[in-house]
């Protein structure tokens, strides 16, 4: 009898295996299962909620450092850091559940095996898929990296949308529809015929992508970890570039407005001094 890849790796374990480890009930094994869909959706949803109103709040209360207003790009960086700090703090309640499961059923080992599948290009002709097994630690590292990159893309996209749409509720609806749009096209009768592997929303379920489940389920060799890093990474670079362009346009418009104000009050000494001081503040950075 030939063992599967995961059971073969279990047989090679030098340490003693517990029943909870074989049943995949330890803390690390539970976390690896949650990384398939629940945790990526949760953190992407929190990324939207944490960032959707930051730009609108900044319109009412400008970000200041030592009394000087920050540039648009510096404000975006500051708000990006604040958003990720909020996401990181959400690990605290999850760690409580992790410790509770570990005390009851054991923490397990990051070296325990996790199943992978690679859907080959010629699988349509020979109906064969390659299955393998790697460690839970490697699976979690790749899944967390892809999930973090997706959250970064969502936050940057939310900031850009907030510049054009002034209402927070409309921003929330638009961003939620775009972020979770894979629910509309990754379904039976459509996803298995048209696999949109060039859309960043197709890699929302980072754990399913890393384990190869999405590629196996939709019978495509292109929904892979490397493809996910490539697609989402390109989107992040594009959003950063758009943010930089927005920052340059913002500075140019500010300079034009300030020059007009200075020209209008050039014959009024008091207002002219106030305008010059204001220009120095706006062009401080």
């Amino acid at each position: 009898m030939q063992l599967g890849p995961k059971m073969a790796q279990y047989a090679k374990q030098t340490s003693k295996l517990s029943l909870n480890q074989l049943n995949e009930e330890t803390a690390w094994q539970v976390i690896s299962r949650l990384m398939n869909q629940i945790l990526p959706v949760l953190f992407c949803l929190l990324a939207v909620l944490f960032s959707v109103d930051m730009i609108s709040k900044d319109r009412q209360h400008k970000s200041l450092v030592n009394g000087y207003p920050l540039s648009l790009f510096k404000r975006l960086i500051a708000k990006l850091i604040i958003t990720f700090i909020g996401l990181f703090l959400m690990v605290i309640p999850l760690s409580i559940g992790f410790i509770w499961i570990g005390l009851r059923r054991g923490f397990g080992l990051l070296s325990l095996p996790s199943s992978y599948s690679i859907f080959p290009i010629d699988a349509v002709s020979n109906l064969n898929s390659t299955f393998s097994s790697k460690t839970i630690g490697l699976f979690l590292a790749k899944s967390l990296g892809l999930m973090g990159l997706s959250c970064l893309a969502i936050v940057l996209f939310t900031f850009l949308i907030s510049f054009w749409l002034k209402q927070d509720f409309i921003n929330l609806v638009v961003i939620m529809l775009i972020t979770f749009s894979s629910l509309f096209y990754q379904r039976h009768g459509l996803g298995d015929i048209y696999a949109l592997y060039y859309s960043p929303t197709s890699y929302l379920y980072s754990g399913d992508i890393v384990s190869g489940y999405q590629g196996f389920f939709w019978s495509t060799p292109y929904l892979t970890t490397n493809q996910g890093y490539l697609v989402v990474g390109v989107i992040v670079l594009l959003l950063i570039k758009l943010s930089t362009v927005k920052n340059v346009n913002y500075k140019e418009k500010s300079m034009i407005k300030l020059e007009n104000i200075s020209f209008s009050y050039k014959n009024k000494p008091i207002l002219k001094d106030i305008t010059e001081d204001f220009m120095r503040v706006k062009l401080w950075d």
Side-chain angles (χ1 to χ4, degrees), residues 48 53 64 110 121 128 138 178 212 224 278:
V48 174
D53 62 341
L64 302 176
L110 290 175
I121 297 178
N128 182 30
L138 182 61
I178 295 176
T224 62
F278 181 66

Side-chain angles (χ1 to χ4, degrees), residues 81-92:
I81 293 174
I82 293 173
T83 302
F84 271 86
I85 289 175
L87 292 176
F88 180 76
L89 291 177
M90 293 305 299
V91 177
I92 296 177

Side-chain angles (χ1 to χ4, degrees), residues 8-9 18 25 32 73-74 82 85 97 131 150 159 178 180 182 202 209 217 223 235 243 259-260 264 275:
Q9 291 299 320
S18 65
E25 295 178 347
S32 65
F73 186 74
K74 289 182 178 179
I82 293 173
I85 289 175
F131 292 92
S150 299
F159 287 165
I178 295 176
F180 299 101
S182 61
S202 298
I209 294 295
F217 188 80
L223 286 174
I235 293 298
S243 301
E259 288 175 358
N260 293 334
S264 300
T275 305

Side-chain angles (χ1 to χ4, degrees), residues 174-190:
V174 171
I175 295 166
M176 292 287 284
L177 288 175
I178 295 176
T179 301
F180 299 101
S181 60
S182 61
L183 298 175
F184 298 100
Y185 62 81
Q186 282 188 337
R187 53 189 176 85
H188 290 288
L190 184 61

Side-chain angles (χ1 to χ4, degrees), residues 10-106:
Y10 275 130
K12 295 179 182 179
Q13 292 287 323
T14 57
S15 59
K16 184 179 179 181
L17 294 175
S18 65
L19 185 60
N20 288 330
Q21 289 176 343
L22 291 174
N23 292 332
E24 298 186 353
E25 295 178 347
T26 62
W28 283 119
Q29 289 170 316
V30 170
I31 291 295
S32 65
R33 286 202 304 273
L34 293 177
M35 277 302 301
N36 290 330
Q37 290 189 354
I38 296 178
L39 287 183
V41 171
L42 175 62
F43 276 88
C44 289
L45 179 62
L46 290 175
V48 174
L49 296 178
F50 286 167
S51 59
V52 69
D53 62 341
M54 283 197 170
I55 301 300
S56 61
K57 286 182 179 179
D58 196 70
R59 292 192 186 100
Q60 301 174 359
H61 306 284
K62 297 293 183 181
S63 300
L64 302 176
V65 175
N66 296 327
Y68 293 97
L70 290 174
S71 66
L72 179 61
F73 186 74
K74 289 182 178 179
R75 276 183 281 163
L76 290 179
I77 295 297
K79 294 180 184 302
L80 184 65
I81 293 174
I82 293 173
T83 302
F84 271 86
I85 289 175
L87 292 176
F88 180 76
L89 291 177
M90 293 305 299
V91 177
I92 296 177
L94 293 176
S95 63
I96 296 175
F98 175 81
I99 295 173
W100 181 75
I101 295 174
L103 293 176
R104 289 192 60 192
R105 301 175 182 176

Side-chain angles (χ1 to χ4, degrees), residues 154-281:
I154 290 172
V155 173
L156 292 174
F157 180 72
T158 303
F159 287 165
L160 289 177
I161 291 295
S162 299
F163 283 123
W164 294 303
L165 300 178
K166 308 300 182 182
Q167 298 293 328
D168 290 339
F169 179 75
I170 298 178
N171 292 342
L172 180 61
V173 172
V174 171
I175 295 166
M176 292 287 284
L177 288 175
I178 295 176
T179 301
F180 299 101
S181 60
S182 61
L183 298 175
F184 298 100
Y185 62 81
Q186 282 188 337
R187 53 189 176 85
H188 290 288
L190 184 61
D192 46 358
I193 298 177
Y194 303 102
L196 301 180
Y197 47 88
Y198 286 119
S199 173
T201 56
S202 298
Y203 303 92
L204 180 66
Y205 304 123
S206 58
D208 282 347
I209 294 295
V210 173
S211 66
Y213 174 80
Q214 289 284 349
F216 179 80
F217 188 80
W218 300 117
S219 303
T220 175
Y222 301 110
L223 286 174
T224 62
T225 306
N226 293 335
Q227 183 78 11
Y229 274 106
L230 177 62
V231 172
V232 182
V234 169
I235 293 298
V236 168
L237 293 177
L238 179 61
L239 292 174
I240 292 175
K241 182 62 177 179
L242 291 176
S243 301
T244 305
V245 172
K246 181 67 177 178
N247 181 47
V248 172
N249 294 336
Y250 177 81
K251 282 188 175 182
E252 292 177 352
K253 291 180 180 179
S254 299
M255 290 178 65
I256 293 173
K257 290 181 180 180
L258 292 173
E259 288 175 358
N260 293 334
I261 294 174
S262 178
F263 179 78
S264 300
Y265 295 108
K266 65 179 180 179
N267 296 324
K268 300 179 182 180
I270 297 178
L271 293 176
K272 181 180 178 181
D273 294 338
I274 296 175
T275 305
E276 290 177 350
D277 293 338
F278 181 66
M279 288 182 68
R280 284 195 292 271
V281 171

